[in-house]
């Protein structure tokens, strides 16, 4: 790493095992997110300040945070409303007044949570949550309207989302109200620090009213290029990570006590839910053929070409449950979409071109079949033909 936290080489960036931290990255642990170092290295090496970075499967917004905090513009989308919410909050600047309002909200929170008052929410999305946390959250959410603007309400919501994820997702021992609030205090101040770090690095002069530096959408990749406000966008780098074929990742649920699934993140983030798991993964996990998945990859990448500069680099991180079958199909879907594969050596990487990265500690593959294959992510680099 150099002094700016940019790995020295592509190889170092690809094999980093550093924990995700810094700026606003830790606001939410989005499943299968890529490391900030990975995004940062490609952004630094292949774009200049003022250029546009695109991510059409942006998930929790790792690439958005890295692009915007290194002087680039960002365009991105995800069809998961939760991903959109998280990316929005991670890349929203807070004013000094917003920060004071939030600190004041936080100082009033504990006294607003009296477990002996009020009703338990009967919303189906939180029915799987043990009642202490359910009621704590309901009373906390009820305080949000006291915040005067959408930025602060979203930030406060996201802080509750973060602590709830810690409290519930894949946890065996669910904390009590006091433990929840203690943890929330820590998360909340770390998030305020993260937001300040993001704002310090964010170049306000890049955006204008008509063309803001950040343009993010809750939409499918295939629809992004028909967004009228993006007609002039020509990104220099597309860096992304589509859903992994056949690999079990739950983008839209938490697992309480390791088993019961809850839609609580949508309730907390006030987002639309109601889609089946296959909606987020381009089809079922074990389909008879991979045609539907490959066809979505083909149409998505074909469509986003309209938003790319002619020489733009297209960098993807993908894991496969059956690499022998899916990897060649994936490459031909990219070819059919109008791209040619670029070897990392062509980009000035060292001769031992690292195209496969082992992923440490991925909770979603540990218990599943095909664990070994799915724990290796392929780095695919393309340009338009
Ligand atoms: C591997 S995750 C991306 C993680 C991201 N790189 C990060 O760092 O958080 C893949 C994302 O693709 C989204 N997705 C699935 N199908 C999509 C589509 N057709 N268009 C846009 N997004 C899609 C999923 O909702 C999921 O958030």
């Amino acid at each position: 790493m150099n002094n700016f936290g940019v790995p020295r080489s592509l190889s170092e960036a690809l094999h980093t095992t550093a924990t995700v931290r810094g700026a606003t990255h830790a606001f939410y642990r989005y499943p299968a997110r890529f490391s900030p170092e990975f995004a940062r290295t490609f952004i630094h090496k292949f774009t200049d300040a003022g250029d546009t970075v695109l991510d059409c499967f942006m998930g929790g917004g790792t690439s958005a945070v890295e692009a915007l905090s290194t002087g680039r513009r960002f365009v991105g989308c995800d069809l998961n409303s939760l991903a959109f919410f998280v990316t929005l909050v991670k890349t929203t600047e807070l004013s000094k007044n917003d920060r004071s309002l939030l600190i004041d909200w936080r100082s009033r929170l504990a006294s607003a949570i009296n477990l002996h008052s009020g009703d338990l929410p009967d919303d189906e999305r939180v029915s799987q949550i043990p009642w202490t946390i359910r009621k704590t959250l309901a009373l906390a959410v009820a305080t949000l309207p006291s915040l005067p603007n959408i930025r602060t309400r979203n930030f406060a919501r996201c802080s509750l989302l973060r602590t709830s994820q810690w409290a519930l997702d894949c946890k065996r021992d669910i904390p009590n109200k006091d433990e929840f609030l203690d943890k929330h205090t820590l998360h909340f101040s770390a998030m305020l620090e993260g937001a300040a770090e993001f704002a310090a690095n964010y170049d306000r002069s890049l955006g204008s009213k008509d063309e803001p530096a950040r343009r993010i959408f809750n939409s499918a990749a295939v629809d992004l290029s028909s967004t009228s406000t993006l007609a002039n966008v020509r990104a220099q780098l597309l860096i992304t990570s589509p859903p992994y074929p056949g690999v079990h990742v739950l983008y839209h649920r938490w697992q309480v006590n390791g088993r019961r699934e809850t839609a609580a993140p949508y309730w907390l983030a006030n987002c639309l839910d109601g889609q089946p798991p296959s909606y987020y993964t381009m089809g079922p996990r074990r389909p008879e053929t991979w045609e539907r998945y490959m066809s979505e990859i083909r149409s998505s990448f074909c469509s986003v070409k309209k938003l790319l500069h002619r020489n733009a680099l297209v960098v993807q991180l993908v894991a496969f449950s059956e690499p022998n079958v899916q990897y060649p199909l994936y490459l031909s879907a990219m070819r059919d979409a109008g791209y040619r594969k670029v070897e990392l050596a062509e980009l000035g990487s060292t001769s031992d071109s690292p195209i496969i990265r082992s992923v440490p500690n991925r909770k979603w593959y540990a218990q599943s079949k095909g664990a070994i294959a799915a724990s290796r992510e392929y780095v695919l680099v393309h340009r338009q033909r």
Side-chain angles (χ1 to χ4, degrees), residues 341-360:
K341 191 164 174 286
V342 173
E343 298 306 330
L344 285 184
E346 229 183 277
L347 303 177
S349 178
T350 45
S351 53
D352 59 333
S353 301
I355 64 146
I356 297 181
R357 166 188 143 80
S358 293
V359 197

Side-chain angles (χ1 to χ4, degrees), residues 30 32-34 56-62 78-80 219-221 241-243 251 280 282 296:
Y30 198 81
R33 63 202 186 284
F34 45 49
C56 51
F57 305 98
M58 71 186 174
T62 314
D78 197 294
L79 49 63
N80 185 354
S219 75
S241 175
Y251 291 110
Y280 304 98
M282 297 181 170
E296 284 215 35

Side-chain angles (χ1 to χ4, degrees), residues 25 37 41 54 56 116 141 208 231 239-240 244 252 279 284 293-294 297 302 324 365-366:
H25 288 299
E37 284 81 9
T41 305
L54 180 71
C56 51
H116 303 294
V141 166
S208 65
I239 183 158
T240 197
Y244 301 161
H252 71 316
Y279 177 74
Y293 177 90
M294 296 304 160
I297 289 293
C302 188
N324 294 345
Y365 70 73

Side-chain angles (χ1 to χ4, degrees), residues 67-285:
L68 292 165
S69 55
T70 55
R72 276 71 171 167
R73 298 160 192 271
F74 180 80
V75 174
C77 69
D78 197 294
L79 49 63
N80 185 354
S81 57
L82 184 64
F84 175 79
F85 171 79
V86 170
T87 304
L88 180 74
V89 181
K90 283 183 178 179
T91 56
T92 295
E93 262 196 293
L94 297 175
S95 68
K96 222 168 152 193
N97 189 41
D98 290 341
R99 296 173 68 82
S100 321
L101 291 163
L102 280 162
I103 291 167
D104 179 54
W105 168 79
R106 171 59 217 159
S107 70
R108 288 183 280 112
L109 192 59
S111 59
I113 298 177
N114 173 3
L115 295 185
H116 303 294
S117 73
D119 296 325
L120 265 183
D122 61 1
D123 192 305
E124 207 190 304
R125 293 174 294 178
V126 284
S127 61
Q128 299 293 350
I129 301 181
W131 85 267
T132 357
I133 295 293
R134 202 182 336 159
K135 192 137 186 207
T136 301
L137 287 173
L139 293 166
V141 166
T143 64
L144 294 174
S146 71
L147 286 161
N149 62 47
I150 189 73
R151 289 185 307 277
T152 49
R153 284 196 293 275
N154 279 346
F155 186 95
R157 258 185 204 288
C158 194
S159 71
L160 296 172
L161 184 71
R162 179 180 183 191
T163 306
S164 304
Q165 188 181 36
W166 163 81
L168 299 168
D169 192 20
C170 295
K171 262 289 189 53
R172 227 163 270 287
D173 299 317
I174 308 292
N176 62 30
K177 175 191 114 175
D178 292 336
E179 289 164 337
F180 181 93
L181 288 173
D182 286 349
K183 194 59 152 187
H184 183 258
T185 307
L186 297 178
H187 283 160
F188 185 80
S189 44
M191 282 176 69
L192 276 184
E193 270 176 40
E197 188 188 326
F198 174 78
N201 293 318
Y202 180 61
D203 180 357
R204 271 153 226 91
S205 68
L206 270 182
S208 65
K209 194 160 165 282
D210 294 335
E211 295 193 352
R214 175 198 70 183
R215 286 181 278 178
I216 57 173
F217 302 87
N218 180 199
S219 75
V222 73
D223 297 327
L224 190 64
S225 64
S226 45
T227 309
S228 58
T229 52
L230 299 183
N232 297 325
V233 167
R234 293 295 173 267
Q236 280 78 7
L237 174 68
L238 164 54
I239 183 158
T240 197
S241 175
Y244 301 161
V247 180
H248 181 50
V249 181
L250 266 184
Y251 291 110
H252 71 316
R253 292 288 179 265
W254 293 341
Q255 286 182 303
V256 183
N257 288 329
R259 280 191 325 276
R260 283 174 288 153
E261 290 181 5
T262 173
Y266 291 82
W267 175 75
L268 277 165
N270 199 22
C271 290
L272 284 179
D273 179 36
Q275 302 292 348
S278 59
Y279 177 74
Y280 304 98
T281 52
M282 297 181 170
R285 182 146 64 99

Side-chain angles (χ1 to χ4, degrees), residues 243-248 284-287 290 293-294 318-327 364-365 368-378:
Y244 301 161
V247 180
H248 181 50
R285 182 146 64 99
R286 295 196 188 92
W290 294 102
Y293 177 90
M294 296 304 160
V318 196
F320 301 102
S321 62
E322 298 170 57
N324 294 345
V325 178
Q326 298 149 339
Y327 181 60
W364 39 265
Y365 70 73
S368 62
K369 273 187 156 182
I372 304 296
S375 66
R376 286 144 55 100
E377 287 172 334
Y378 288 57

